[in-house]
Amino acid sequence: MSNSNERNVYFGPDSLKKYFDPDCQPPLPLVELPEHLNPFFHDGVRIYAKMMTMHPANNVKAMPAAKVNGRSALNMLESSVVPNKTNTIIEYSSGSTVISMSMIARVMHGVQDTRAFLSNKTSDAKLKLMQFFGLSITLFGGPSQPEPADERGGIQSARRMAKESDDIVNPNQYENNNNWQSHMRWTGPQIFKQLPEINVLCAGMGTSGTMTGLGTYFKGVKPSVVRLGVCTAPGDRVPGPRSFALMRPVEFPWKEAVDTIEEVGSSDSYTLSLKLCREGLVCGPSSGFNLQGLFQMLSKRKAEGKVSELAGPDGVTHCVFLCCDLPYQYIDEYFQKLGAAEFPAIRNERLTKVDLHRYDEAWERDALEVLPQVYGSPRPLAQTPLSEITLKPQHRVLDLRKPADFQAWHLPESINVPLSSLGPHTVSPFSDPAVLEAQWVELEQTFGDARLVSDLGSHHVLVVCYDGNTARVATSVLRAKGLDADSVRGGHHALRMYGIGSETTGPEVSVSADCPASKMPIASTVSVSAVPP
């Protein structure tokens, strides 16, 4: 394993190829768990996480698809990809393998079309992740982890398609020996170079490629290393690994690569993964799965008084477990598996269902700026006789205040659209979530009337309230419905400062579902500058 790129910089026209080539990378980090994460620390045990998540593709499955011996060959792709002929890669994969293949196929071979065959029980988050990386997805029914030889499953369907077409390649991670041999080529030597004192190696068993390669490597270079394989508990499921029963048909020589096997459940896997993430080692559930398997083995040894038998000449037992992938695509599963008690509560969670539209500072207008655009007058509005103040064509002014307050004072020719959730002493919706919820729901209902929205649709709408905040929410709602709307910053309080408005003795003007704005009478006004004290 060469490593001449100490600066971790990748130059030139083939920079991306070098970036994905383990021979051009510094070793992936090996991080010791601090004492509070290691329950066996005082038993002379040191535990290290091999951060396979730090590979450019962010998961352990990228290694089988990387370059071999410094040449432009791929471990699982080169044996079957034909330059200028292969157009499509097809692989049955739960996510990490095929995502890594898609990236490396583009970078190394220029193959743009990678297709994922996978279970119809795959989570929506993982499906979207594969779509994000440009993968074409085909779903299959039946077991979420089909036996590799089952003709009814997606593994054999991918294999058949590749046999039927010369331009399709199916690397088949379940049968391709380049899968596990990649870990003999890179992962094993990296770990041994970083920690020659290693005494225990732990990895999960899925296709078994990782454990087969690592176990085979350490059997050759340091036979004293205890090789621990971890399988899922019967009837349980952790993304990636398999149950021991499902390992029987796997054709890799995994039985010769492990010394002992532990079975781990999903609850422990997600719990430990969450704990590692919160402590700074960001990793997915299969990483917590591997660590729990190691804990179980050490617990059994401790109960038998045999932990010290694992130690090396320095009297310390050095254990390495693999962190295989990241947690983000499994976020929903963490909440399902562990329950709400494991996660901080969200304050004001009621707001996740309301106030769903965007805001823009440009929609909240200063009165002196916006009123001349709405009203026509040759002089400043506060100095203009009432007869000379009229709404410009294609403008509407909506006042959300109570009818009595509207009657006492309002902008000329404005229309009252009173809200039951708004009063002169109502606190700002942005300081009380209950107020925001009530106002947003009412505004959605009010402006959900198709006739009203249709009438307003051809107008610029200016919205006024007591302090400007509810009008700001209303503007967000109106804009979401495609209307050209603004609000007055500071609302009625700001308008009073400029002496714009009127006392009225005319009829109350309000909008209802049976009386759209176009049919409303215009409130009579008697004075431009008369403002109540």
Side-chain angles (χ1 to χ4, degrees):
M1 179 187 67
S2 63
N3 176 23
S4 58
N5 186 16
E6 294 181 357
R7 291 187 296 163
N8 203 14
V9 179
Y10 306 88
F11 299 99
D14 59 347
S15 59
L16 281 176
K17 292 183 178 180
K18 293 175 183 176
Y19 177 54
F20 276 86
D21 180 0
D23 282 337
C24 298
Q25 303 167 357
L28 299 176
L30 191 67
V31 184
E32 182 179 1
L33 300 189
E35 181 178 342
H36 67 278
L37 293 176
N38 177 4
F40 303 95
F41 184 86
H42 294 291
D43 299 300
V45 176
R46 301 293 180 268
I47 300 175
Y48 307 82
K50 178 63 174 174
M51 302 302 294
M52 305 301 293
T53 55
M54 300 299 288
H55 186 276
N58 296 136
N59 64 76
V60 69
K61 297 296 187 178
M63 301 301 282
K67 282 174 57 179
V68 178
N69 298 327
R71 301 189 302 272
S72 57
L74 301 176
N75 250 20
M76 285 208 293
L77 297 180
E78 180 62 15
S79 61
S80 49
V81 169
V82 179
N84 301 318
K85 186 174 183 180
T86 299
N87 296 319
T88 302
I89 308 294
I90 297 180
E91 183 72 359
Y92 190 94
S93 166
S94 62
S96 295
T97 298
V98 74
I99 288 172
S100 297
M101 281 184 180
S102 71
M103 285 189 275
I104 293 172
R106 289 190 187 99
V107 170
M108 300 293 191
H109 289 286
V111 176
Q112 302 295 319
D113 182 15
T114 300
R115 303 178 187 179
F117 283 13
L118 66 162
S119 168
N120 65 329
K121 299 163 185 64
T122 303
S123 69
D124 182 65
K126 190 177 288 187
L127 293 175
K128 284 184 169 60
L129 183 66
M130 284 187 274
Q131 290 178 298
F132 175 85
F133 281 104
L135 289 154
S136 173
I137 299 172
T138 300
L139 300 179
F140 289 82
S144 58
Q145 292 179 315
E147 292 190 5
D150 189 344
E151 292 293 330
R152 298 165 295 181
I155 296 173
Q156 290 303 315
S157 293
R159 186 178 184 180
R160 286 193 296 270
M161 285 188 66
K163 285 184 175 181
E164 294 169 359
S165 176
D166 291 338
D167 62 357
I168 296 177
V169 165
N170 171 222
N172 195 349
Q173 60 175 317
Y174 302 93
E175 299 178 4
N176 192 327
N177 286 326
N178 286 314
N179 181 339
W180 62 271
Q181 289 172 0
S182 66
H183 296 289
M184 291 187 66
R185 174 70 181 86
W186 291 293
T187 315
Q190 275 192 16
I191 293 172
F192 191 48
K193 184 176 181 180
Q194 291 170 306
L195 190 70
E197 303 89 348
I198 183 173
N199 307 113
V200 178
L201 174 72
C202 175
M205 306 280 280
T207 63
S208 80
T210 303
M211 190 67 236
T212 300
L214 289 173
T216 303
Y217 173 79
F218 278 101
K219 183 177 182 179
V221 300
K222 191 174 181 179
S224 63
V225 171
V226 175
R227 302 162 301 168
L228 169 62
V230 188
C231 292
T232 54
D236 206 344
R237 183 175 181 273
V238 176
R242 289 171 168 253
S243 67
F244 185 73
L246 288 176
M247 291 302 302
R248 293 190 182 96
V250 176
E251 297 183 0
F252 294 158
W254 60 269
K255 293 179 181 179
E256 293 78 27
V258 297
D259 299 306
T260 184
I261 287 179
E262 289 290 336
E263 295 179 324
V264 170
S266 58
S267 179
D268 289 331
S269 303
Y270 282 87
T271 297
L272 272 181
S273 167
L274 181 66
K275 191 172 185 179
L276 290 172
C277 287
R278 289 177 174 176
E279 294 292 337
L281 290 175
V282 182
C283 58
S286 63
S287 306
F289 171 84
N290 292 340
L291 181 56
Q292 177 63 25
L294 178 60
F295 283 173
Q296 290 177 191
M297 188 205 77
L298 291 171
S299 293
K300 292 175 183 177
R301 296 280 182 138
K302 183 175 180 178
E304 297 169 353
K306 296 181 178 179
V307 172
S308 60
E309 295 179 7
L310 298 170
D314 59 357
V316 177
T317 301
H318 299 276
C319 307
V320 174
F321 75 98
L322 265 64
C323 286
C324 302
D325 63 359
L326 295 173
Y328 307 115
Q329 59 185 310
Y330 309 109
I331 292 299
D332 287 344
E333 295 177 40
Y334 282 89
F335 283 81
Q336 293 166 7
K337 294 285 184 181
L338 304 182
E342 289 291 335
F343 304 93
I346 299 175
R347 295 183 179 87
N348 301 334
E349 190 171 8
R350 65 200 306 167
L351 294 185
T352 60
K353 297 179 174 61
V354 300
D355 194 32
L356 304 179
H357 310 311
R358 67 178 289 252
Y359 288 82
D360 193 315
E361 291 298 319
W363 303 340
E364 193 174 21
R365 309 285 294 278
D366 182 79
L368 289 182
E369 171 197 5
V370 71
L371 290 181
Q373 298 176 18
V374 176
Y375 289 96
S377 171
R379 287 171 287 181
L381 294 180
Q383 304 172 14
T384 304
L386 175 63
S387 60
E388 296 182 22
I389 299 179
T390 58
L391 274 176
K392 291 182 178 180
Q394 304 303 309
H395 286 79
R396 294 284 191 193
V397 178
L398 304 184
D399 193 319
L400 306 180
R401 295 174 300 143
K402 294 294 185 186
D405 296 318
F406 176 80
Q407 285 289 89
W409 188 96
H410 60 258
L411 286 173
E413 300 185 69
S414 57
I415 300 170
N416 191 207
V417 186
L419 301 181
S420 62
S421 57
L422 176 64
H425 303 296
T426 304
V427 300
S428 167
F430 302 109
S431 62
D432 187 336
V435 172
L436 178 55
E437 180 181 27
Q439 291 187 355
W440 189 84
V441 169
E442 186 176 3
L443 286 164
E444 279 286 318
Q445 294 172 345
T446 299
F447 297 124
D449 180 78
R451 291 173 296 171
L452 174 60
V453 172
S454 176
D455 175 72
L456 295 175
S458 59
H459 297 76
H460 170 264
V461 180
L462 184 65
V463 189
V464 179
C465 68
Y466 291 100
D467 60 6
N469 289 320
T470 302
R472 184 183 184 214
V473 180
T475 300
S476 173
V477 172
L478 289 167
R479 288 274 182 170
K481 298 183 183 303
L483 277 70
D484 180 20
D486 294 309
S487 65
V488 176
R489 183 183 292 108
H492 160 259
H493 302 312
L495 291 168
R496 287 184 60 186
M497 294 171 55
Y498 302 124
I500 309 300
S502 65
E503 290 183 352
T504 179
T505 57
E508 178 181 320
V509 181
S510 63
V511 171
S512 68
D514 297 326
C515 189
S518 60
K519 301 187 182 299
M520 297 306 301
I522 296 175
S524 60
T525 57
V526 297
S527 172
V528 175
S529 57
V531 178

